[in-house]
Amino acid sequence: MIIKYSTSYHTSGNITSITITPSTNYGWLRFNAVTTKPSGTNITFSILNATDNSTLLSGLTGSNDDISSLSTSASIRLFANFTGSGSDTPLLDTWNITWFVGTCSCVNCSDCESQLNNNSCSVVQLTQDTTISSGTCIGVAFNNKTLDCLGHIVNGNNTASYGIKLSNNSYNTIRNCKIINFTNSGIDSPSFIALGESRNNNTFFNLTLENNNIGLNLYNAPNSNISSITADGNSYGVYLASSSIILEDSVLANNSKWDLFVKSCYNSATVTNVTGTDNKPIVFYNSAVTIQNWNNNISELVLCNADNSVVDNLTLSHPVWKNNGILLTYTSYTNLTNLTLNNLYEGLHLIASDNNNLKNIIIDNAKYGIRFSDISGLIGGPYTRYNSLESITSNNSEYGIYLAASGSNTIKDLIVGNNSVYGVYISDDSNEINDSILSGNSQYDLLIEGTNNELNNVQFSNSYPTNISFSEYSGDFGIKGVTSPPADPASYTNINKYVNITNTSGAAWISINISYTDSDVSGIDESTLKIWKHNASGWLEDGWNGTRVLDTSSNIVGVNITDFSSVFAPLGLTGI
């Protein structure tokens, strides 16, 4: 006799826990479950209101789910829904939730500060909107605490400085807050850290930061975790200058300067699933990367500690918001080539990044076309040095090329024009500009406030192209091409070359050479060619200069200028 025995399973089922009611003064934390789910089976979890079995939270996985949004006014039950395969069934071994005791409430800034300093309060909940008109809303030192605004607004009224200021604060969680209208930062970790202070391992969750100068500023705040942040309408959405930062699952958009600005990231940082302006991703790399043929598919690009990267054939343009750009921080030996960058806050910004190659780049309509800077406040650097710039066009911005605390760069084949402040600004030493055109910039085509910089064959003005070279000077001065030159003095003729040079601070001098061609001096006694000065008193030949230069074989005329704020032009006797 053969006896056959078979077992079948129900394909679905559910289970509900007993009622869970913690003691008073508590807050919910996490839900976890230990399960076994063979192929074709599943378990889904929900949390029910114990009074009427309505669903309070659904879609839970049992993997450390955050349930902090649950109200503490209702008892709850856990609910599990099982789906079997017909031949197999999932198993639920254990499930649990956690909560904390020590929940306190506050109604305004000073009340919240008091409760955060109360040792019996592990969690402080803001139970209503609050407004402050000066100073800082919350600036006390606290550790191992949770500040939960429960979705309420902290409003700086466009006059107060800080919403929450972290000075000596670690292992805290700030969540569910809407922080708006602060003149400095919604949440701030200042750049200065006093001896013995610590502000690390803080968590920022489910925050809305609007209309502040900086939404979230984390300076010297390592091991911070940032998630579910919305930063909109600030100057900077999130500003980072810390190590071991995790930023994820956030929207940083429509901030006027940068959605995400990374001044330093030191040894590590992670940016994942962060959306910026134009609903495009903010892309961040913390190691070497090769990027090619990207056509306006990102909101901004950040390379931090990403030496030896390659960025080639990339277009980045914002149709409405003039913000973001490409940012290199502590990134060296990187090639940036064939870029088109339009309508941005900064086309390219390099911070403490050296030995990079920038070539074949077109920038239009930015605050800064290209900007180099250091890490401010660190004596002796690090600086942005030894970079190569070649075949760069930077027009219609405020500053075409802005080199602050950045020396020993080699620059060639620039075209920089129609910028509303300066064409090229240099505030450091030993930069070299060759074979370039600087024309039509509003205040100065070139402003120099550093030493030992050199120009070779740089043209000023397209109306009266004037090619200048110099390497010897002292002091600060600005150079601008001339579009409406004065009439010639009697018996002398110009060669259509003019330049306006102004000393911008204190005593200065400069030895300039102006190049010309044989056709420029046609009809002029070339041996009489010299640079004259024109100001309100008319044309002046002497009394404002030192050594003169005339090299007719090389077609160079020069002079040492010791008195400025005038038009300078080569003139020669006519009649040849």
Side-chain angles (χ1 to χ4, degrees), residues 30-78:
R30 301 283 177 178
F31 168 70
N32 285 282
V34 177
T35 64
T36 301
K37 294 183 284 187
S39 176
T41 71
N42 194 26
I43 307 176
T44 59
F45 298 98
S46 303
I47 295 180
L48 309 180
N49 187 315
T51 302
D52 58 11
N53 286 329
S54 61
T55 301
L56 300 176
L57 285 178
S58 61
L60 303 178
T61 65
S63 179
N64 205 34
D65 297 296
D66 184 351
I67 60 171
S68 60
S69 62
L70 281 175
S71 169
T72 57
S73 63
S75 299
I76 66 169
R77 289 177 178 159
L78 306 181

Side-chain angles (χ1 to χ4, degrees), residues 376-395:
S376 299
L378 296 182
I379 298 174
Y383 301 106
T384 298
R385 291 179 175 268
Y386 308 112
N387 297 286
S388 172
L389 291 78
E390 183 176 354
S391 300
I392 309 289
T393 298
S394 184
N395 297 328

Side-chain angles (χ1 to χ4, degrees), residues 317-335:
S317 176
H318 289 305
V320 178
W321 288 89
K322 193 171 81 173
N323 65 354
N324 297 345
I326 297 177
L327 175 63
L328 274 65
T329 302
Y330 283 90
T331 294
S332 300
Y333 302 100
T334 288
N335 289 319

Side-chain angles (χ1 to χ4, degrees), residues 416-420 423 437-445 460-462 480-481 483:
V416 180
N418 299 316
N419 297 286
S420 63
I437 300 174
L438 315 180
S439 176
N441 302 285
S442 292
Q443 293 189 27
Y444 296 110
D445 294 319
F460 293 84
S461 178
N462 287 324
K480 184 172 173 57
T483 57

